[in-house]
């Protein structure tokens, strides 16, 4: 399933980026009910919410372990650890 198809099911897409191994596509999206940082598995087409934040412009670390994103409401950068799903904020 193309990333744009999955993103349109969720809401308005706010940019995105492919993981270093090209298996996942991270993107910010908002709809009437939620804004968040989402992850599309390009192999299965599964979409899941990583963080319930108004994120945009996600960028992957070279090792694929972290995603940095801009939080639209605060103009700060957050870093999400994909193993623990912990957010570091305030950068």
């Amino acid at each position: 399933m193309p990333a744009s198809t999955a993103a349109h099911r969720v809401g308005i897409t706010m940019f995105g980026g492919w993981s270093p191994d090209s298996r996942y596509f991270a993107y910010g999206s908002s709809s009437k009910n939620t804004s968040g940082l989402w992850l599309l598995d390009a192999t299965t087409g599964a979409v899941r919410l990583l963080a319930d934040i108004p994120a945009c412009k996600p960028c992957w670390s070279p090792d694929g372990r972290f995603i940095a994103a801009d939080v639209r409401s605060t103009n700060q950068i957050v870093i999400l650890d994909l193993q623990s799903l912990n957010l570091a904020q305030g950068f």
Side-chain angles (χ1 to χ4, degrees):
M1 173 186 316
S4 59
T5 303
H8 285 114
R9 287 190 319 195
V10 176
I12 299 169
T13 303
M14 303 295 179
F15 305 100
W18 287 99
S19 63
D21 65 3
S22 300
R23 180 173 176 195
Y24 299 100
F25 186 76
Y27 60 95
S29 183
S30 61
S31 68
K32 291 180 183 179
N33 299 327
T34 188
S35 292
L37 180 60
W38 296 84
L39 189 69
L40 166 69
D41 184 323
T43 303
T44 66
V47 177
R48 72 178 177 131
L49 180 64
L50 294 175
D52 190 15
I53 56 172
C56 64
K57 304 175 191 168
C59 182
W60 291 80
S61 64
D63 63 4
R65 184 173 170 204
F66 300 94
I67 297 174
D70 178 23
V71 178
R72 292 187 317 259
S73 59
T74 63
N75 290 322
Q76 291 186 337
I77 302 296
V78 295
I79 299 174
L80 177 69
D81 181 328
L82 290 170
Q83 292 178 351
S84 66
L85 293 182
N86 287 330
L87 275 175
Q89 300 181 3
F91 299 97

